[in-house]
Amino acid sequence: RRQRQMCIRDRVKGAADFLVEIMPVMFVPAGAGLITAWSSLKPICVPVLIMTFISTVIVMVVTGKVTQGVIRMGKRGTEK
């Protein structure tokens, strides 16, 4: 069992290292696209930023509540 865990850990580490190495390649085209389309995006920048902020807060709150629920359920299971 321990050997299998090490094998899985090695595979995950290899995949994670690969993804970190190619991360700049994944974001540069998107950044360049934003720069070239700036004139079109400029009028809607403020509404997009507001929507992004609000949706981020909603996601954080929902994630926190779900995590609290899972932790509470786990504690109830260990008490029995």
Side-chain angles (χ1 to χ4, degrees), residues 25-72:
V25 176
M26 304 300 275
F27 286 104
V28 168
L34 286 174
I35 291 170
T36 59
W38 179 246
S39 61
S40 300
L41 296 173
K42 196 173 181 182
I44 61 168
C45 189
V46 172
V48 168
L49 288 175
I50 292 170
M51 288 186 292
T52 301
F53 176 77
I54 291 171
S55 63
T56 300
V57 170
I58 291 170
V59 167
M60 290 171 64
V61 169
V62 170
T63 301
K65 293 295 185 183
V66 169
T67 302
Q68 285 177 341
V70 169
I71 290 171
R72 286 185 186 128

